[in-house]
Amino acid sequence: MDLTLDPARAAWRAEVRSWLAANVPSEPLPSLDTREGFQAHREWELRLYDAGLAVVTWPAHYGGRDADLLDWLVFEEEYWAAGAPVRVGQNGIFLLAPTMWEFATREQLDRFMPPMARGEEIWAQGWSEPDAGSDLAALRSRADRADGGWKVNGQKTWSTRAAYADWMFGLFRTDPESSRHHGLTYLLLPLDAPGCHHPPIRQLDGEPGFAEVFFDDVFVPDEHVLGEVGQGWKVAMSTTTSERGLTLRSPGRFMASADRLLSLVRRTPDADPVLVADAVQAWLDADAYRLYVQSTALEALAGKPIGAESSANKLFWSQLDVRIHETAFAVARPARDLHRRRRPPMARRVSVLARRSDLRRHQRGAAQRRGGARARVAEGVSAMRLLPSVEALGLRGCGARPARGCVRRGSAAGGVGLAGRTGAGLWKRLADVGVPGLAVPEEHGGSGMDLTSLVPGAGGVRTRRGA
Ligand SMILES: Cc1cc2nc3c(=O)[nH]c(=O)nc-3n(C[C@H](O)[C@H](O)[C@H](O)COP(=O)(O)OP(=O)(O)OC[C@H]3O[C@@H](n4cnc5c(N)ncnc54)[C@H](O)[C@@H]3O)c2cc1C
């Protein structure tokens, strides 16, 4: 597959890069979990909007650029590489908006999308309740019929950003006779409505990152029901699909984290060789994820169905996410801890050797070692012939053996001149990239895969590094 950047996408990358270079604050904004930081991040959203960069995939009519998926991937790579602020509006822009395109009326779109794009209305999610966490269908918050709308009573909890957010979307039981997934309705509620209280929940660092939300006869008009009354579960699954899919986990985020991890290793001359190998592997995996998503995006834009193997993405990035941060945590441990350490036990040394051999396998061309999804990543890797050395990553002298090869992060991330195709249909399909419903039957929204597809070596998922 040709992953060469066409001139239009190269120009887009240059435009985004140049704006970010001139505008990303030189000092990090104050913490998003403080009132001051929340406001600073809100103002950043408005700056992005004024530059036409807040909601690039949205229709121009609502402040977007009609960008297709590849342009969005380019934007995300540049955004995170530039160290730009976390998106305070992400619940709205990345989770609610795709659901709105699918279920909202024209009036609802006109009412909610513009202030969402400008960061004037920040959204919180209202799913979890004290006795309904993993088991969301056990929720008990209810909305009872009232004149022209609904009276909401109950409690939500663990609501990210709700300490300072303006609106909440969530699920409420509207049919008191119903149970489980039935009789639920998806509502849009202003958090400053009479009867609504949202006291913060302090995190370990003392900052109020979450909130509980209490509803005491909060009135919600009919115009703020999203989708059909009683069909809330279906609407909510659209939102959660976006949360589990690509939109919050663009490869650019992982590449930026992996780059930071390598920088940390470079600044740690006595880093444990085990950790250096882990860092290199994490970087390789982030790049593999980038190439894989890119190839999937090209196929989707070319009209090919997204296969079940793309669901492997979710497993891949969630494990990668943990590994990057665990490794960074271990590298950043006080030096005295490292000095106290004795030689690693035999099992650990064996595992280091295994990882080095994994690096060498990468060098020889992953195309020959994986079927299915992994092979497609490898095709991109070998096609680009990007095999510089660990020295090129600046890791020499950081405890790494001069392991000879790894995949360089290429600049090529663009398309092959495909016409931009946007719209709810495409985005719905693309949200499915990374959905973890691997073995769930298709009629229930899953991928209907045989569990043997998940076994390493059987064309599926790598469950452990190098396995
Ligand atoms: C960073 C973060 C942000 C969040 N943001 C939001 C938000 O914005 N809005 C929102 O509504 N919620 C949010 N949540 C809450 C999150 O959705 C819930 O924490 C989650 O649904 C789990 O619920 P719980 O904490 O009540 O745990 P529980 O559901 O009580 O689970 C406790 C433990 O039991 C295990 N368990 C549960 N059921 C089973 C089972 N059937 N079989 C085996 N094991 C089981 C779980 O794996 C877990 O280890 C957030 C959570 C986190 C960590």
Side-chain angles (χ1 to χ4, degrees):
M1 177 177 286
D2 181 6
L3 300 176
T4 313
L5 193 65
D6 72 21
R9 293 193 199 282
W12 166 241
R13 183 187 288 282
E15 177 191 338
V16 174
R17 184 176 296 182
S18 139
W19 189 87
L20 290 166
N23 289 279
V24 169
S26 51
E27 292 296 317
L29 298 181
S31 165
L32 185 58
D33 291 336
T34 63
R35 186 173 292 284
E36 175 201 12
F38 202 88
Q39 180 58 25
H41 283 77
R42 208 192 265 272
E43 288 162 12
W44 169 251
E45 291 289 328
L46 185 57
R47 281 178 74 186
L48 279 176
Y49 178 83
D50 288 341
L53 296 175
V55 286
V56 295
T57 59
W58 288 20
H61 177 66
Y62 291 114
R65 308 269 289 236
D66 287 310
D68 67 15
L69 182 71
L70 279 169
D71 279 344
W72 178 74
L73 291 170
V74 168
F75 173 81
E76 286 277 304
E77 278 183 26
E78 294 301 322
Y79 190 88
W80 296 110
V86 172
R87 304 293 303 270
V88 67
Q90 72 176 26
N91 282 340
I93 292 169
F94 296 129
L95 305 183
L96 179 58
T99 310
M100 295 285 281
W101 304 131
E102 196 175 349
F103 292 98
T105 62
R106 179 67 192 224
E107 291 72 27
Q108 287 175 325
L109 291 175
D110 288 347
R111 161 64 188 85
F112 290 111
M113 303 316 257
M116 190 192 295
R118 291 193 294 266
E120 289 165 1
E121 289 181 351
I122 302 293
W123 290 80
Q125 301 192 71
W127 313 119
S128 305
E129 298 184 4
D131 294 316
S134 307
D135 186 12
L136 179 60
L139 67 85
R140 287 186 300 190
S141 290
R142 53 190 284 174
D144 298 311
R145 256 289 167 218
D147 191 18
W150 303 84
K151 278 269 165 69
V152 175
N153 285 283
Q155 180 192 350
K156 298 288 178 181
T157 191
W158 305 128
S159 188
T160 314
R161 310 214 194 320
Y164 308 119
D166 309 291
W167 282 77
M168 166 176 274
F169 55 86
L171 271 187
F172 298 85
R173 191 162 297 286
T174 42
D175 178 356
E177 305 300 318
S178 67
S179 67
R180 307 295 299 164
H181 310 79
H182 306 284
L184 302 170
T185 299
Y186 196 112
L187 299 180
L188 311 173
L189 311 92
L191 287 171
D192 62 356
C196 181
H197 309 280
H198 41 113
I201 302 172
R202 293 204 179 280
Q203 300 172 120
L204 274 177
D205 61 9
E207 292 178 351
F210 296 85
E212 295 178 281
V213 185
F214 296 92
F215 307 99
D216 185 8
D217 274 344
V218 173
F219 179 72
V220 177
D222 283 325
E223 304 88 85
H224 295 174
V225 172
L226 186 58
E228 289 176 39
V229 171
Q231 296 297 311
W233 188 262
K234 182 176 161 198
V235 187
M237 288 307 101
S238 167
T239 310
T240 57
T241 293
S242 293
E243 184 160 18
R244 290 174 297 196
L246 251 192
T247 44
L248 291 187
R249 297 291 184 280
S250 70
R253 280 192 175 202
F254 291 88
M255 288 308 298
S257 297
D259 281 345
R260 281 202 302 279
L261 177 57
L262 288 192
S263 300
L264 177 65
V265 170
R266 285 187 199 107
R267 295 196 308 271
T268 314
D270 58 351
D272 186 328
V274 175
L275 298 176
V276 175
D278 283 348
V280 171
Q281 186 65 53
W283 192 94
L284 290 169
D285 287 346
D287 206 45
Y289 177 52
R290 179 179 71 81
L291 292 167
Y292 177 68
V293 169
Q294 192 177 323
S295 65
T296 307
L298 282 165
E299 288 184 354
L301 287 168
K304 290 189 189 163
I306 296 174
E309 77 274 9
S310 60
S311 299
N313 255 355
K314 167 68 169 73
L315 294 177
F316 190 75
W317 65 245
S318 42
Q319 291 174 355
L320 172 61
D321 212 4
V322 171
R323 281 204 308 277
I324 288 177
H325 291 95
E326 274 181 356
T327 307
F329 188 71
V331 172
R333 271 193 323 188
R336 59 188 162 74
D337 285 356
L338 291 173
H339 289 148
R340 265 194 225 129
R341 289 183 54 186
R342 285 183 289 190
R343 286 192 85 205
M346 180 56 81
R348 191 135 166 82
R349 275 181 269 148
V350 167
S351 123
V352 175
L353 291 174
R355 284 169 203 171
R356 285 184 183 143
S357 105
D358 189 43
L359 283 179
R360 283 194 287 274
R361 281 210 303 277
H362 237 291
Q363 192 179 13
R364 282 199 295 268
Q368 292 151 12
R369 69 183 161 91
R370 300 268 181 239
R374 297 292 297 165
R376 296 236 299 284
V377 170
E379 273 169 28
V381 170
S382 57
M384 291 164 69
R385 297 181 188 287
L386 296 173
L387 300 172
S389 62
V390 161
E391 286 89 333
L393 289 172
L395 293 173
R396 224 186 191 323
C398 297
R401 277 249 184 99
R404 287 209 182 277
C406 55
V407 184
R408 179 165 63 87
R409 179 186 185 184
S411 60
V416 289
L418 294 163
R421 294 197 211 168
T422 57
L426 176 63
W427 278 96
K428 174 85 179 74
R429 287 176 57 219
L430 294 171
D432 291 341
V433 178
V435 177
L438 291 165
V440 177
E442 284 180 21
E443 62 267 31
H444 299 308
S447 302
M449 281 175 77
D450 188 295
L451 281 177
T452 55
S453 311
L454 299 178
V455 177
V461 181
R462 183 162 71 161
T463 53
R464 283 286 299 157
R465 174 189 349 235

